[in-house]
Amino acid sequence: MFEYPKSIIKDVKKPEQLIVADTGNKALRSVDVKTRVVSTLIKSDFSFAGISQDEQSGDVFIISNQILRYIYQNKMVQHLTGSNMAGYWDGALPHCFFDGIGDIITLDQTTHLLADQGNDRIRLVEREKNATSTLVFQFEGCASEPTELPFQSCQALSSSPYSMLKVNRTLFIGYNQGIISSKSFRVVE
């Protein structure tokens, strides 16, 4: 039934359910963990590479290659930012460019962090400000000064942020050869 389920999250509105990005079938699916019943939420013409959900509203956000999308009222898919063309460009939504978004974290209903693998950057998408920015982090154990990605001073890292997890006020970022954490970041000026 599933073909390359790339991302799985717990549904914040229905704790007994999981939401699965079924990449190969180009579908977003719901799985009831008690009954094991699988249902298709959305079928599309693009692959779902990653998903995130706002904890307050339950809104679902999806990534597919270089594009961030929003699922409106559990059925309508709306383009937020990005393009089918790979590149690097901060600025006004929706005219930003990414190069292979690997992961997404939803900080709140209008703010997202994207792991922009091809550009070796973490990008901040702020819908209220209608903007995308590149972030600079202060990493514990990597550098004494904030360092823009990629981090040449960090021995464990080579490039490409692949995965992210936010636990309380700490952001964990998975790279080619390790995991690093940060409690502070700022926008590149």
Side-chain angles (χ1 to χ4, degrees):
M1 175 174 272
F2 289 102
E3 187 177 337
Y4 305 112
K6 185 160 184 188
S7 185
I8 303 169
I9 60 172
K10 183 179 84 168
D11 190 332
V12 297
K13 293 296 185 183
K14 301 174 186 171
E16 71 285 350
Q17 303 227 346
L18 302 175
I19 300 174
V20 180
D22 189 356
T23 304
N25 287 312
K26 298 181 179 179
L28 196 63
R29 301 191 188 273
S30 176
V31 179
D32 187 304
V33 294
K34 291 181 182 175
T35 65
R36 298 183 186 242
V37 171
V38 177
S39 57
T40 300
L41 299 173
I42 293 176
K43 186 96 168 124
S44 74
D45 58 348
F46 56 87
S47 294
F48 297 91
I51 50 178
S52 183
Q53 191 174 33
D54 178 53
E55 292 182 8
Q56 300 299 316
S57 68
D59 293 336
V60 176
F61 300 88
I62 55 177
I63 52 175
S64 177
N65 295 325
Q66 287 78 246
I67 298 175
L68 173 62
R69 295 178 168 100
Y70 165 63
I71 299 177
Y72 180 71
Q73 296 181 348
N74 290 331
K75 296 292 175 195
M76 304 283 293
V77 178
Q78 178 181 347
H79 178 270
L80 289 180
T81 191
S83 166
N84 286 323
M85 293 175 31
Y88 177 78
W89 187 266
D90 283 339
L93 303 178
H95 309 292
C96 301
F97 289 92
F98 307 97
D99 188 2
I101 304 169
D103 203 359
I104 178 175
I105 291 179
T106 298
L107 300 177
D108 60 47
Q109 190 172 4
T110 63
T111 310
H112 313 279
L113 293 178
L114 302 179
D116 188 352
Q117 293 176 340
N119 289 313
D120 299 330
R121 303 286 187 266
I122 302 294
R123 311 284 290 282
L124 176 68
V125 176
E126 298 174 284
R127 291 176 29 214
E128 284 184 351
K129 293 182 179 180
N130 193 38
T132 295
S133 309
T134 298
L135 299 181
V136 172
F137 290 86
Q138 174 69 44
F139 288 99
E140 292 86 30
C142 286
S144 58
E145 295 296 320
T147 307
E148 186 175 345
L149 302 178
F151 315 121
Q152 286 82 7
S153 62
C154 296
Q155 298 279 332
L157 305 177
S158 59
S159 65
S160 297
Y162 284 102
S163 58
M164 300 181 295
L165 174 67
K166 183 177 171 287
V167 179
N168 300 321
R169 299 184 55 84
T170 302
L171 179 66
F172 295 90
I173 302 171
Y175 277 80
N176 288 351
Q177 299 172 352
I179 298 172
I180 55 175
S181 64
S182 177
K183 291 184 180 175
S184 64
F185 60 85
R186 65 179 172 84
V187 174
V188 173
E189 300 297 329

